[in-house]
Amino acid sequence: MNFFQHQERARRRTLLLALYFLLALAAVVAAVNLACWLAWQWWPRPGAAAGGWFAGDAFWWVTLGTLGLLLAGSLRKAWQLRHGGESLAAMLGAREIASHSGDPAERRLRNVVEEMSLAAGTIMPRTYVLPGETGINAFVAGPTPSRAVLVVTEGALAQLDRDELQGVVAHEFSHILNGDVRINLRLMAALAGILTVGKLGEFLLHMSPTSDRRRNGGLLILAGLVLMAIGYAGLFFGRLIKAAISRQRERLADASAVQFTRQPAGLAGALIKIRNGNGSHLRSVHAEDLSHMGFAETLAFRLRRLLATHPTLDQRLHALGAHWAARARVRARTDSSPSPAPVPSERIGRLDDDNLGYARTLVDTLPAGLYQALHAQEGAECVLYALALGDVRPPPALRRGRRAALVDQVSALGTRLRLPLLDLALATLRQAPPERRPVILKQLRTLTARRRDQDLLCWALTAIAERHLGAPRRALPRPDIHRLAAVANDIQVVFSALAWAGDSARGTALSGFQRATHGLLPAGRLLLAPERCTPNRLDPAIARLARLTPLLKAPLIDAAADLVLADGQVQVAEAELLRALCTLLDSPMPPLFPSKG
């Protein structure tokens, strides 16, 4: 299953979640009305019919009141999480790891996350540590892969070595790349109302009976029955929904982590430390809310076989196998000669040895001063401006002192490292205060104002920066376009721009365009002239392409990659435009491409 199939499956899971949620609401309302009906039977009234409860106004008031309470709880949680993963991290009291952190364990985690991000071709998620949690756990959340956050417990940082930490991070990156991060927040908001009432019911069940309560008689009994019904039904159905949504994707994430790192011992070591050590349970009052998101179980409960959101640790270890069954399956797929090479869209959302090795080499070979500057806000800003300027002479503010040295270092590295350097710089700048980010973007637009509309490379870098530093979109693009024919004009603009970026000769650009768009565009669509596929037309075109369903994005990216690889070489201009296209479509493209033949 490739990235786009995972995205489509995540979309279907969202619809399944909505169905489960409606069924859970109906079950809780039925339980409350049953409890009230029993109370009605307990206190018979003169002249009241046996079915009077369901025929009277009280039934509808209780139903509407219960629904209102449950929906209010969900809407309140959705409002609390309106800023995505950052809101969740703040709610938990998680502390963001600074890009220039001096703590060795935190630097090790950032290095591992940087390598994974560079290898996957996606921006590094904002990384947090959950203080006071001695168990080993982690989770990711966010509206899109490019807006995801990664939270790791303090216990994981303290107890895991680098290979084990890499196994945990790879597991969480699988959730990012498989489209699970968005449904994590939706599931949390959808169940908040049910689980909040469930917690109240649990609290009531754990209260010991008192003589005062016995003396109060029927009114307290009625209240107890209502709250117990809500507690049992809500908690049971909430956990049942989580189990239905989560358990299979956890098995997939373990298998993907082994496939990414080629080191099952790292993931197995982390699971063994959880099994034989302090476990993975959280002390946080939000442990129930997070139970479907964690690397491992966040709390203990009964009926584990039916309601568990994760396979047991022994099951997960057995899946890795004493004979490394997961590694054998990966090797069988990799070494099987009849298997064709994966098409480019199948590389989206994947990590492999080549890209991980590339990421490690890149980090190791960057000049020490430049690498340190990339983890400080001022240095990252300077690198961003230098990358956007390219060969253009920098303004006076960038030609003095330490800034001039950084600009010279970026220039000396050449053009092929522009995208990795951009990813590293943006990861630091995303930690800038919210009021600073618009200033950075304003300065970037000022520097590139004259070149952005004529230079597609400048546009690509600016578009990526604006995506990651701009204000979060209130509403994500809905995948409501189900036919490529509906966006034929937009495909024509984007592919014409890619064709001209790869070759300025009209003959070769035209032939590449025709081969790449065969089957995507209706007959008769021709290569547009360069002045008709400028950045001011690319912006709205890509915005509409982002609304394609996941399974339609796959052939689009395959065709774009075929256009880039048509001559067997990947030019910097083509790579940057293709990466920009994939970033704006929320489809992280790894930095390395297979060569033709």
Side-chain angles (χ1 to χ4, degrees):
M1 188 179 293
N2 64 24
F3 174 83
F4 300 98
Q5 290 170 326
H6 284 306
Q7 296 287 312
E8 184 67 23
R9 189 188 63 173
R11 183 167 166 254
R12 289 197 300 268
R13 278 203 304 263
T14 301
L15 298 176
L16 186 64
L17 170 60
L19 175 61
Y20 285 159
F21 181 58
L22 292 176
L23 292 175
L25 289 182
V28 173
V29 169
V32 173
N33 275 285
L34 176 62
C36 291
W37 176 77
L38 290 174
W40 182 274
Q41 297 294 99
W42 185 269
W43 286 310
R45 299 185 177 186
W53 171 261
F54 297 100
D57 292 338
F59 168 77
W60 294 108
W61 281 113
V62 168
T63 297
L64 291 175
T66 305
L67 286 174
L69 178 64
L70 299 180
L71 292 174
S74 294
L75 292 174
R76 177 177 176 272
K77 183 66 70 174
W79 175 256
Q80 289 178 336
L81 300 175
R82 64 189 181 279
H83 296 307
E86 290 89 348
S87 296
L88 180 58
M91 186 177 74
L92 296 172
R95 172 176 53 82
E96 186 168 12
I97 297 177
S99 56
H100 54 278
S101 173
D103 182 86
E106 293 181 357
R107 286 203 308 270
R108 180 180 61 193
L109 174 61
R110 278 193 60 90
N111 288 342
V112 169
V113 178
E114 275 183 356
E115 289 177 4
M116 288 281 176
S117 303
L118 289 169
T122 186
I123 191 71
M124 177 179 168
R126 297 181 70 173
T127 307
Y128 296 78
V129 61
L130 202 55
E133 296 287 357
T134 57
I136 297 173
N137 223 320
F139 62 87
V140 288
T144 65
S146 62
R147 291 283 184 180
V149 303
L150 169 68
V151 181
V152 177
T153 61
E154 201 169 54
L157 281 185
Q159 298 174 54
L160 300 181
D161 62 30
R162 195 183 196 283
D163 288 343
E164 292 163 349
L165 195 60
Q166 187 181 55
V168 172
V169 171
H171 174 103
E172 297 306 319
F173 257 76
S174 171
H175 287 310
I176 293 175
L177 299 174
N178 291 342
D180 296 332
V181 288
R182 189 176 182 184
I183 198 173
N184 280 347
L185 294 179
R186 288 184 169 181
L187 186 56
M188 191 172 177
L191 299 181
I194 298 174
L195 298 182
T196 299
V197 179
K199 289 174 185 176
L200 182 61
E202 280 189 324
F203 176 74
L204 181 64
L205 290 175
H206 286 89
M207 291 176 61
S208 58
T210 64
S211 58
D212 289 339
R213 184 186 298 171
R214 284 193 294 268
R215 286 195 298 267
N216 282 333
L219 185 60
L220 284 180
I221 293 175
L222 174 60
L225 284 173
V226 171
L227 289 176
M228 288 169 63
I230 295 175
Y232 272 124
L235 193 61
F236 176 81
F237 281 102
R239 287 177 172 172
L240 192 63
I241 292 171
K242 289 183 180 184
I245 295 289
S246 301
R247 202 167 349 183
Q248 186 58 38
R249 72 179 189 175
E250 293 301 325
R251 293 191 180 95
L252 172 64
D254 278 349
S256 297
V258 173
Q259 184 179 4
F260 290 167
T261 63
R262 297 295 198 274
Q263 294 184 21
L267 181 60
L271 294 172
I272 290 171
K273 285 185 176 178
I274 292 174
R275 183 182 186 276
N276 299 334
N278 292 329
S280 60
H281 297 164
L282 300 181
R283 301 174 181 175
S284 171
V285 295
H286 300 287
E288 172 70 60
D289 297 328
L290 299 171
S291 62
H292 63 292
M293 300 170 62
F295 171 73
E297 296 285 4
T298 61
L299 75 170
F301 51 86
R302 298 173 183 175
L303 297 178
R304 168 175 292 278
R305 182 169 297 181
L306 177 64
L307 301 178
T309 55
H310 296 65
T312 67
L313 292 172
D314 286 342
Q315 287 172 337
R316 294 173 72 178
L317 287 167
H318 181 72
L320 297 177
H323 302 290
W324 306 118
R327 182 189 294 187
R329 288 195 296 270
V330 172
R331 285 184 177 176
R333 286 194 295 268
T334 304
D335 299 336
S336 178
S337 55
S339 299
V343 296
S345 65
E346 292 179 352
R347 298 173 62 83
I348 299 284
R350 286 181 177 266
L351 295 170
D352 56 31
D353 286 338
D354 290 339
N355 280 294
L356 279 171
Y358 165 81
R360 295 189 188 104
T361 301
L362 170 66
V363 171
D364 291 340
T365 56
L366 284 178
L370 177 59
Y371 187 69
Q372 292 175 0
L374 282 165
H375 291 82
Q377 182 177 320
E378 183 181 359
E381 281 190 45
C382 183
V383 171
L384 173 64
Y385 301 148
L387 290 171
L389 287 168
D391 297 331
V392 176
R393 179 176 172 81
L398 296 178
R399 296 203 302 266
R400 291 193 295 266
R402 189 164 177 268
R403 292 184 175 184
L406 281 176
V407 171
D408 291 340
Q409 281 185 311
V410 172
S411 178
L413 289 174
T415 56
R416 288 200 171 272
L417 293 182
R418 290 174 72 178
L419 286 175
L421 289 177
L422 179 68
D423 288 341
L424 293 173
L426 291 177
T428 298
L429 294 178
R430 286 180 66 187
Q431 296 182 331
E435 65 273 12
R436 178 62 187 167
R437 291 176 220 155
V439 177
I440 297 172
L441 289 177
K442 182 178 179 180
Q443 292 176 341
L444 180 64
R445 295 187 193 104
T446 301
L447 285 174
T448 59
R450 296 183 179 179
R451 299 176 54 240
R452 188 175 184 272
D453 289 340
Q454 291 80 30
D455 187 337
L456 289 178
L457 297 183
C458 180
W459 166 82
L461 292 172
T462 306
I464 293 174
E466 290 181 344
R467 165 58 62 91
H468 294 301
L469 299 182
R473 292 167 292 180
R474 291 187 178 182
L476 296 173
R478 297 185 61 183
D480 55 1
I481 298 180
H482 302 273
R483 296 184 304 113
L484 289 174
V487 288
N489 291 339
D490 307 303
I491 294 174
Q492 187 179 18
V493 170
V494 171
F495 276 72
S496 294
L498 279 175
W500 287 115
D503 202 319
S504 59
R506 179 169 181 82
T508 50
L510 177 59
S511 61
F513 174 85
Q514 290 174 334
R515 285 196 303 270
T517 58
H518 179 70
L520 289 181
L521 291 178
R525 295 277 182 160
L526 299 177
L527 174 72
L528 298 176
E531 61 272 15
R532 296 185 61 194
C533 49
T534 53
N536 62 341
R537 296 193 65 189
L538 280 172
D539 284 327
I542 291 179
R544 281 187 290 272
L545 294 179
R547 293 165 51 197
L548 286 169
T549 60
L551 293 181
L552 286 182
K553 289 181 184 178
L556 188 74
I557 290 177
D558 282 339
D562 286 343
L563 181 55
V564 168
L565 295 169
D567 57 359
Q569 298 178 345
V570 181
Q571 298 184 33
V572 175
E574 298 171 304
E576 289 183 332
L577 287 175
L578 184 58
R579 281 282 305 277
L581 172 64
C582 293
T583 296
L584 297 174
L585 295 179
D586 286 316
S587 306
M589 170 68 77
L592 301 183
F593 301 92
S595 60
K596 286 275 184 181

